[in-house]
Amino acid sequence: MLRLTDLRLPLDHPPEALAAAIAARLGGAPLSWRIARRGYDARARGRVVLTYTIDAEVADEAAHSLPHTPDTTYRPVATAPSGLAHRPIVIGTGPCGLFAALILAESGFRPIILDRGKAVRERTQDTWGLWRRGVLDPESNVQFGEGGAGTFSDGKLWSQVKDPAHHGRKVLTEFVLAGAPDEILYVSKPHIGTFRLVQMVESMRRKIEALGGEYRFSSRVDDIEVVDGAVRGVVLHTGEKIAADHVVLAIGHSARDTFEMLHARGVSMEPKPFSIGVRIEHPQSLIDRARFGAAAGHPILGAADYRLVHHASNGRSVYSFCMCPGGTVVAAASEPGRLVTNGMSQYSRNERNANAGIVVGIDPARDYPDGPLAGIAFQRHWEEAAFAAGGGTWAAPAQRVEDFLAGRPSTTLGDVVPSYRPGVTPTDLALCLPDFAVVAMREALRAFDGELAGFAMGDAVLTGVETRTSSPLRITRGPDGQSVNTRGLYPAGEGAGYAGGIMSAGMDGIRTAEAVARVITGLPPAPGRGREKEASLIYG
């Protein structure tokens, strides 16, 4: 098939207009065609157009100077040999661990999958316990448990990372097989929302178990056994030891006790940049009008999103993070006395408010220079300050934008009703943010108002704090996917510093499973693998 790109049609075009545009581009009707991607261009406010990428079958491909449709079929790199002494272990069941386990299971390696948290439905009940009753379970919450932190998010399924092997297509295809709508295979910014993610995670677990994988929940790994620079097993919090020569470390960005254990064991790691800030909430209708003009509310467009960046005069970068159209701000804490926010949406994106993180980039060299674990101490300090500013009851500190810009505490809130549960306390967010972040955010909010009309509206609500934008450290790995100084340990995903969001984490899980398979079967590392970095700090 041939690929046609950048076919542009009006938002309300009739169905036959697309077929006519394809025939016009090809100089005649194709034998068949399908939509590979559909997006929209809203840069000209009030004149939104749809953009299509089409795969078309024609009788004579040589007559057209068009690229061929890429082959995105996933093919395992190796099959498990017989007589393997120990089954590989995957620690963590977020997107990275989920896809690492799936690929290993499909390749015959029968992995053991460990998670400190609970299965997704039990975990959901515990998470609601914090939101409704102010009761935190440190082992079962937004951060820990089956599905990982992405389960309670907008469920964004797009990424900026380069993907020459089309691992992203494997991720999307498996999600559809697990119950996601087919549209995620072709819309430009697919998402699925929390409730659907719960069902999909369960479906994929059943598939992995049917292929020989073994899940063990409430199984926190408290130690790893290392002999002569190589992994020989893991030790659970119960004292049980599980022998293993290959351990995938997909622990997520909040497994701080595990980071501390690995550091004590001498596993190579380094501090890395992340960001700190707050959640901002506006009426979704305001964002729709600012982005789409007269087309606001169109069913094809849905709830509008945005992505904003500002380089402040104090040298800091401020950007929107994990924007959740028609969503809610949620309590995302995993440690007692330390308050964290995040955003979440359902598939429908039909809640009253839009929310996004407004966060400031921070850097180890000038903000937390005291070693690989210093970023964790930085996060904890501001999370404790937020807990105190909210009153010490899991209520979050909140402030009207007008008051934040004026440098005065809020004593009451206005027309925008904050969605955070178990509730908010009007106060001064400068109490729980670094001074440089406050200065940069005030400047950025005014700048963003020039890009999206009404963004700095006085009653918009800021809720703090947002500290878990990405891992504060990187567990360094080599071209073979293994830790640079601990053989058999495979750092992977967001917690290890190699992903940001569901898609890139899932893709890194696939790459890491392939690395395990290559090492076990004696194949060379995949071409192009090196000492990777995160693709970007701006994940959406």
Side-chain angles (χ1 to χ4, degrees):
M1 301 186 82
L2 299 179
R3 174 149 288 184
L4 288 68
T5 60
D6 200 32
L7 287 174
R8 302 169 69 85
L9 292 169
L11 180 59
D12 285 313
H13 71 80
E16 60 271 17
L18 180 55
I22 295 168
R25 178 74 64 89
L26 291 171
L31 301 175
S32 66
W33 57 271
R34 63 172 181 249
I35 299 173
R37 181 162 294 264
R38 187 193 71 203
Y40 60 79
D41 184 348
R43 288 174 294 180
R45 185 174 177 274
R47 193 173 63 83
V48 181
V49 297
L50 296 179
T51 61
Y52 290 92
T53 297
I54 300 294
D55 292 330
E57 180 186 7
V58 298
D60 184 7
E61 292 185 352
H64 303 273
S65 57
L66 293 168
H68 285 86
T69 299
D71 180 4
T72 60
T73 305
Y74 182 77
R75 298 175 179 85
V77 300
T79 301
S82 59
L84 200 61
H86 303 297
R87 298 160 71 181
I89 289 175
V90 177
I91 305 175
T93 60
C96 179
L98 181 65
F99 278 92
L102 176 65
I103 298 304
L104 289 171
E106 288 183 333
S107 302
F109 288 95
R110 301 175 57 248
I112 298 172
I113 304 104
L114 306 174
D115 198 293
R116 67 191 297 163
K118 299 178 184 178
V120 66
R121 291 194 185 269
E122 297 173 78
R123 174 200 179 196
T124 299
Q125 293 175 358
D126 293 334
T127 300
W128 279 101
L130 175 60
W131 296 350
R132 289 175 173 167
R133 302 188 305 276
V135 177
L136 171 68
D137 184 338
E139 298 296 336
S140 182
N141 47 62
V142 166
Q143 308 297 345
F144 299 140
E146 186 179 20
T151 302
F152 300 98
S153 71
D154 184 51
K156 292 180 181 63
L157 298 180
W158 53 281
S159 173
Q160 301 175 72
V161 301
K162 295 180 180 179
D163 186 23
H166 305 292
H167 288 148
R169 189 68 176 185
K170 172 67 170 174
V171 172
L172 294 177
T173 299
E174 291 296 335
F175 280 160
V176 169
L177 292 173
D182 289 348
E183 69 180 34
I184 71 170
L185 295 173
Y186 64 84
V187 296
S188 60
K189 292 182 179 180
H191 79 285
I192 42 181
T194 290
F195 288 162
R196 292 197 179 208
L197 274 167
V198 168
Q199 299 167 12
M200 291 158 50
V201 165
E202 288 181 317
S203 176
M204 293 184 68
R205 185 212 313 162
R206 290 191 292 268
K207 180 174 184 176
I208 291 167
E209 289 175 331
L211 291 167
E214 176 187 345
Y215 273 76
R216 297 181 60 175
F217 294 108
S218 299
S219 298
R220 189 182 68 237
V221 174
D222 276 0
D223 202 1
I224 58 171
E225 293 190 328
V226 179
V227 178
D228 296 329
V231 168
R232 289 295 175 258
V234 302
V235 182
L236 303 185
H237 70 288
T238 59
E240 179 186 357
K241 297 180 180 180
I242 305 175
D245 299 320
H246 303 276
V247 175
V248 174
L249 200 62
I251 56 178
H253 60 36
S254 294
R256 293 163 169 174
D257 49 358
T258 309
F259 294 148
E260 291 164 349
M261 176 271 290
L262 294 168
H263 185 258
R265 280 291 182 189
V267 175
S268 177
M269 58 181 66
E270 61 189 15
K272 60 168 276 298
F274 62 102
S275 301
I276 185 171
V278 298
R279 283 269 144 186
I280 189 168
E281 289 188 89
H282 301 90
Q284 180 63 50
S285 58
L286 181 147
I287 302 300
D288 292 344
R289 291 192 302 271
R291 290 280 283 116
F292 297 147
H298 194 287
I300 287 182
L301 299 176
D305 64 1
Y306 56 80
R307 178 177 166 191
L308 301 167
V309 182
H310 176 71
H311 301 288
S313 56
N314 67 354
R316 302 286 179 165
S317 293
V318 186
Y319 61 95
S320 59
F321 169 81
C322 189
M323 195 271 159
C324 297
T328 56
V329 178
V330 299
S334 58
E335 295 179 326
R338 296 175 177 134
L339 193 147
V340 187
T341 63
N342 196 12
M344 185 181 87
S345 296
Q346 300 300 343
Y347 176 72
S348 61
R349 288 178 165 174
N350 63 358
E351 297 293 336
R352 178 182 301 178
N353 291 350
N355 77 79
I358 299 297
V359 295
V360 181
I362 54 178
D363 182 79
R366 59 177 167 176
D367 297 319
Y368 43 101
D370 299 324
L373 302 180
I376 295 175
F378 184 96
Q379 290 174 323
R380 283 173 166 162
H381 171 80
W382 295 111
E383 291 169 11
E384 290 167 4
F387 187 76
T393 63
W394 294 117
Q399 192 171 13
R400 295 173 61 248
V401 164
E402 180 180 321
D403 294 333
F404 180 77
L405 292 177
R408 60 175 179 257
S410 288
T411 57
T412 186
L413 301 176
D415 289 340
V416 180
V417 178
S419 58
Y420 176 94
R421 294 292 178 269
V424 302
T425 299
T427 185
D428 184 357
L429 285 171
L431 298 171
C432 46
L433 290 168
D435 289 344
F436 65 78
V438 173
V439 170
M441 288 166 57
R442 284 174 177 156
E443 182 180 319
L445 287 172
R446 294 184 174 98
F448 293 160
D449 195 63
E451 298 182 51
L452 281 180
F455 197 85
M457 65 176 289
D459 278 352
V461 177
L462 303 172
T463 307
V465 289
E466 182 105 359
T467 56
R468 312 282 181 93
T469 53
S470 68
S471 179
L473 56 83
R474 179 176 291 108
I475 305 173
T476 48
R477 66 188 184 190
D480 59 1
Q482 299 181 82
S483 161
V484 295
N485 70 344
T486 308
R487 296 189 307 280
L489 187 66
Y490 299 80
E494 191 159 351
Y498 297 100
I502 294 172
M503 279 299 292
S504 61
M507 291 156 61
D508 199 59
I510 295 173
R511 286 192 294 268
T512 301
E514 292 179 345
V516 173
R518 288 176 180 275
V519 170
I520 290 175
T521 59
L523 293 172
R529 281 203 69 148
R531 190 171 173 275
E532 303 120 318
K533 301 288 186 182
E534 283 177 308
S536 172
L537 271 177
I538 302 176
Y539 305 125

